[in-house]
Amino acid sequence: MTARLGLGTYRCLDVAEAALMAASRGADWVDTAPNYENGQAETSLALALAAYPDMRVSTKVGFLPPSARRLGMRAGALSAEDAEHGHCLAPDYIAWQVARSKRMLGRVPDLVFLHNPEHGCHEGEIADRLYAAFLALEEACSQHAIGAYGVATWCGFSSGLFDVSTLLELATKAGGPDHHLRAIQLPVSLVHLAPVARALDGQGPLADALDAGLEVFASAPLHGGEIPGMVTPELSELINPGRTPAETALAVVASAPGVKRVLLSTGNPEHWMRAAEAVGRPSLSPDVLRRVVDVLGT
């Protein structure tokens, strides 16, 4: 498969332990956010990143960890209203949080995602919000505070609030033809099959990102651990004979056109190695993927 397994830290109870486990077993990417692990995820990752300097890291800006609310307000980067709201993409806050993430991680993040920019945003507001945020992120790139940026969304694409072409247009407006928009992150799983179905027809965010040269990070590939219990032995045998339900589900995600990273949250070494093996096998064919969509729907 062309996709690689990366560590997602949203559901990790011990981020430091999970990162060291994954890195020692060949993981080359870890994804986090300031609000994960009760606001301690970035600090927890610093040890693993120092021990494995070749492992790349992405973090996010948007949702506010409780510890940042008071500090952000004191620094003048965060309004009381945004602190109460719990989510902010104002340029001043982005600059402040990016600098804070760099300190917490102990190094420049390779990628910073806007975290659910659709949160609390209406259709008529989203373009202005994204453009202002992209300007701030382009400035951070010019100052070498981050390597590049992207958009991590749960429902921005599926709701039609924005698409890849819109993101590219706004990034070009903010940073010119050499802008630093490099990736998107969205849920792809047996529960979230619509992006796969559309990609098989050359449409939707996965296909558009592939055409534009953007990396696609697939989040929640096991839907919070629920999917293995939803996959019957008969369905697993139909899709991926001889494999477990979890391996089958991961194979579908990793085989989706355009997906480059499959983010799995686990601190269990056995689960990690089985997942890495599943993602590393040859891709399922488009015919098999279409059969999955036909059976499960979107």
Side-chain angles (χ1 to χ4, degrees):
M1 296 181 189
T2 57
R4 298 197 64 171
L5 189 66
L7 178 67
T9 56
Y10 175 55
R11 291 183 175 272
C12 289
L13 299 179
D14 188 327
V15 169
E17 181 180 299
L20 288 169
M21 178 279 298
S24 69
R25 288 161 176 79
D28 68 340
W29 198 290
V30 57
D31 179 75
T32 194
N35 59 308
Y36 292 175
E37 200 187 39
N38 296 316
Q40 297 302 311
E42 291 179 323
T43 302
S44 296
L45 278 177
L47 178 63
L49 294 174
Y52 295 89
D54 291 335
M55 186 164 66
R56 301 174 71 192
V57 59
S58 52
T59 188
K60 303 180 182 75
V61 60
F63 288 106
L64 311 176
S67 59
R69 299 182 189 189
R70 175 177 50 82
L71 294 174
M73 290 174 62
R74 183 185 300 170
L78 188 64
S79 70
E81 182 180 356
D82 284 334
E84 178 68 23
H85 183 54
H87 185 274
C88 183
L89 290 178
D92 286 347
Y93 176 71
I94 289 176
W96 181 82
Q97 181 58 61
V98 161
R100 187 170 185 263
S101 291
K102 179 182 174 182
R103 291 195 303 272
M104 296 290 191
L105 293 167
R107 61 181 243 200
V108 172
D110 296 281
L111 189 63
V112 170
F113 286 106
L114 295 183
H115 201 175
N116 288 13
E118 69 274 15
H119 184 78
C121 191
H122 301 295
E123 184 175 359
E125 304 170 342
I126 190 66
D128 288 342
R129 174 182 283 192
L130 287 169
Y131 176 58
F134 285 1
L135 281 173
L137 291 167
E138 288 288 347
E139 178 63 20
C141 290
S142 72
Q143 295 178 357
H144 306 291
I146 64 176
Y149 63 91
V151 173
T153 177
W154 188 257
C155 63
F157 293 120
S158 60
S159 68
L161 199 58
F162 51 79
D163 55 22
V164 170
S165 63
T166 298
L167 300 182
L168 290 168
E169 180 182 344
L170 293 170
T172 302
K173 182 180 177 183
D178 297 322
H179 62 77
H180 294 83
L181 176 66
R182 295 287 183 271
I184 60 172
Q185 184 180 141
L186 70 159
V188 183
S189 69
L190 293 183
V191 171
H192 295 278
L193 273 175
V196 180
R198 297 191 67 194
L200 290 170
D201 292 329
Q203 301 174 356
L206 302 187
D208 291 346
L210 180 62
D211 290 343
L214 301 180
E215 285 202 45
V216 174
F217 289 67
S219 61
L222 297 180
H223 201 61
E226 296 179 11
I227 283 179
M230 297 164 56
V231 178
T232 65
E234 293 79 12
L235 180 59
S236 185
E237 193 67 19
L238 173 69
I239 299 171
N240 205 16
R243 307 301 178 188
T244 67
E247 291 170 333
T248 296
L250 289 170
V252 170
V253 176
S255 301
V259 170
K260 296 299 181 186
R261 299 271 172 186
V262 179
L263 298 175
L264 181 70
S265 290
T266 183
N268 185 304
E270 182 181 354
H271 290 174
W272 176 268
M273 294 305 294
R274 292 178 73 90
E277 183 181 354
V279 170
R281 293 192 188 104
S283 296
L284 303 177
S285 70
D287 286 343
V288 170
L289 293 178
R290 290 185 189 279
R291 191 184 313 151
V292 173
V293 173
D294 288 343
V295 171
L296 295 179
T298 58

